[in-house]
Amino acid sequence: MEPLLAILVGLFFAAAIYLMLSKFSIRIMLGIAILGNAVNLLLFTGGRLTREVPPIIPAGLDSLPAGTANPLPQALILTAIVISFSFLAFLLVLTYRAYQDLGTDNTSDMRAAEPDDRPLPPSGY
Amino acid sequence: MAAPTSTVDLSAALITVPVPIGHWLAILPVAHCITLGAVLLMLRGYPRLQAWLAIPGLAALALIDAALLAKVAADGPLTMVMGRWLPPFGIAFTVDLFGALMAFTAALAALAGGIYALADIGESGRRYGFFPLLMLLMAGVTGAFLTGDIFNLYVWFEVLLISSFGLIILGSEREQIDGALKYAVLNLIATTLFLVGVGILYAAFGTLNMADIAAKAGDLRGTAPLMTLASLFLLAFGMKAAAFPVNFWLPAAYHTPRIVVSALFAGLLTKVGIYALIRVMVMLLPVERQELSPVIALAAAATIVVGALGALAENDIRRLFGYVVISGIGNMLAGVALGGLGGISGAVFYALHSMVLMTALYLAAGEIARRGGGFSLSALGGLYRQSGGFTALSLVLFLAACGLPPFSGFWPKVILVKASLDLGAWWLAASILVGGFLTTIAFGRLFLLAYWRPAAIALTPSGPRWRTGLPLAALTALVIGFGILPEQLLALSQSAAAGLADPQAYLHSVFPEGRAP
């Protein structure tokens, strides 16, 4: 199970990095969305991967029997999902607003903060 | 059939004795910030009242952090766990001298920024939530400094990141949206890289508690991919801190927001990256830091020189200061690369100095623009003629940023240069000195053009305002104080570095009876 998920995580990362290298901001956003999922899967794979053995302590036992699922990565992923979802929402709104105000989604043309023809500092009085 | 009775002895996993009152200090700063942030958010409709609550709130935060620092300096590291669960089950807040020093200095910078904001942030900025976002930013920054759990550190990073997004966009001008987009995307990628590191760390160690990781790292060194982890953390935190190859988001974004927001970002956010880097590389993975030190040293030297050269080429003083921030980060990285007591204590001292100084520099930039009518070096002039007091104050800040005595930038550079010469890393010492020299030229030109040059337009005489003058003067007094009386801070940063290099006290505070599982 782990090797399969590891390959999937690798594919997700590759797709995310490919998309983030684009110069169009909407593709970068898609890349970030995939990146968030890649990391969540990575966290998930980092814990134990088991099928259909929920982490419930059976009656009469004191601790989890061996081979049960690890609940902690799921708690971590839950946190990470909430965070990456909220950030993606913010970034999508920001991208849309940037598209409206700057009139482009091409990051090479987004030069409002750093104009191309910035003056050099004066070399004398 | 009798119901099965549990015989688990939970006392090993739970706190069974009442928590001493003093230990609550460890979480009080964060709880205070979040509570106040929530209250301020509810007072959205009353901008005037927000300011009246926020400034005493920030002052109270500084007092709490001072009490925490005094307690940690007296009694050693302090641990507070959540929900009575002991680590590694419960999330721990562990405060050592390093974290407490950083938190206290951050609170001072935030208080100065808050007072400055009374004049700088107008009614609309307050309606858009400047003060609640500032409090939540402080919650994130303080939480990152005080937490003892690495996933918790990630969460605080996100808290400060989302608040900083809100702050950087305040005003919604075109430049701000452009800058915010670059800032947001690159910082989010850096934090995600950090999360990747946390995932691999958990897979390797099975724990997220920093003390637990530090204790277990020695045994796992042969089998776990610790070098990969260290490199990932170096890249992620280096990006956060704007170290050389991944620094370009900073000068693209830091000059766009309101000046007080720039000041807080320059003072606090990059230092959180450096803090996390020192915490992870020095305390958790010391052997990997040793092996990576040539890479870190190269990045440090490049950061120093690139930052200083960038500062030389800038016409806008806010962008110039942005490059000075980067150059300072290089000095702290040099300390991390050197390691040892000298290098780490130099980096700690530099971080504390830099928090105060960078906040003060950006506040001074705001004051320059108010008096001189803009940020462009080619248009400014005549500030000396206008006000001698402000000129003297700026000169102190400029000299401190260059690292000239007798101001605060001098001592950490002395420590760092001495540490690198002791190790025979002459080129690192040379790059620190050359960086200081280039920064001096940049500031010398800024002083010459903006202060000494006769004004092109007639400047209207504008007197000091206490809301901008007071925080600036207070921070400058700190810069002078650090420079003239460095012994106390030197001793504190040395014992902070000693605590990082040999975390026995930290481990003991988390696992009191050596109960590491």
Side-chain angles (χ1 to χ4, degrees), chain A residues 65-124:
Chain A
T68 46
N70 186 351
L72 187 64
Q74 298 171 21
L76 300 185
I77 294 168
L78 194 59
T79 314
I81 287 175
V82 172
I83 290 173
S84 66
F85 181 72
S86 62
F87 273 69
L88 189 68
F90 178 87
L91 280 180
L92 283 174
V93 174
L94 184 61
T95 313
Y96 181 58
R97 182 69 194 269
Y99 177 65
Q100 277 186 325
D101 278 20
L102 306 173
T104 175
D105 69 336
N106 185 337
T107 45
S108 307
D109 296 338
M110 289 188 180
R111 314 231 33 126
E114 299 168 283
D116 275 326
D117 49 351
R118 269 188 292 132
L120 283 173
S123 49

Side-chain angles (χ1 to χ4, degrees), chain B residues 17-301:
Chain B
V17 288
V19 179
I21 293 291
H23 283 207
W24 289 93
L25 269 178
I27 58 160
L28 197 55
V30 181
H32 170 78
C33 287
I34 293 180
T35 317
L36 202 60
V39 170
L40 289 177
L41 198 62
M42 289 187 260
L43 295 176
R44 269 190 81 156
Y46 309 90
R48 194 171 290 273
L49 195 59
Q50 275 192 339
W52 280 109
L53 263 176
I55 303 303
L58 284 167
L61 175 68
L63 285 179
I64 296 169
D65 279 334
L68 181 62
L69 177 60
K71 179 157 177 58
V72 171
D75 303 346
L78 184 70
T79 298
M80 171 90 197
V81 294
M82 306 297 137
R84 294 175 65 208
W85 288 101
L86 284 171
F89 305 108
I91 295 171
F93 262 53
T94 308
V95 191
D96 64 350
L97 199 50
F98 182 33
L101 271 172
M102 297 289 275
F104 176 55
T105 320
L108 289 182
L111 177 60
I115 297 173
Y116 195 95
L118 293 178
D120 191 41
I121 302 289
E123 178 120 345
S124 81
R126 291 186 202 177
R127 273 191 198 282
Y128 279 111
F130 174 78
F131 283 112
L133 286 171
L134 174 61
M135 290 315 295
L136 292 177
L137 181 81
M138 283 316 290
V141 169
T142 318
F145 287 150
L146 303 184
T147 186
D149 184 283
I150 203 147
F151 191 78
N152 206 220
L153 180 64
Y154 162 74
V155 174
W156 292 122
F157 263 89
E158 299 288 18
V159 169
L160 73 87
L161 204 56
I162 196 85
S163 334
S164 72
F165 289 174
L167 284 174
I168 201 169
I169 209 79
L170 211 71
S172 308
E173 291 156 20
R174 287 182 76 229
E175 290 82 22
Q176 289 178 333
I177 287 173
D178 186 14
L181 191 63
K182 291 160 189 171
Y183 171 85
V185 168
L186 288 171
N187 271 284
L188 189 59
I189 292 173
T191 327
T192 312
L193 271 176
F194 174 32
L195 185 59
V196 173
V198 172
I200 301 176
L201 186 88
Y202 180 70
F205 285 82
T207 178
L208 292 162
N209 186 282
M210 289 193 201
D212 212 9
I213 293 167
K216 283 179 177 168
D219 301 334
L220 282 170
R221 199 145 271 135
T223 52
L226 295 194
M227 203 61 194
T228 314
L229 270 177
S231 318
L232 261 176
F233 283 133
L234 177 62
L235 179 60
F237 295 141
M239 209 161 159
K240 283 263 159 213
F244 164 56
V246 279
N247 65 345
F248 292 98
W249 58 269
L250 193 150
Y254 270 25
H255 64 291
T256 55
R258 296 267 177 271
I259 201 74
V260 55
V261 175
S262 293
L264 290 169
F265 281 18
L268 305 178
L269 298 195
T270 46
K271 274 63 179 188
V272 179
I274 282 289
Y275 167 85
L277 189 67
I278 293 180
R279 176 71 74 198
V280 168
M281 299 296 270
V282 176
M283 196 178 95
L284 303 188
L285 305 165
V287 177
E288 284 69 25
R289 186 208 60 76
Q290 184 74 33
E291 283 172 35
L292 273 177
S293 74
V295 181
I296 308 177
L298 212 60

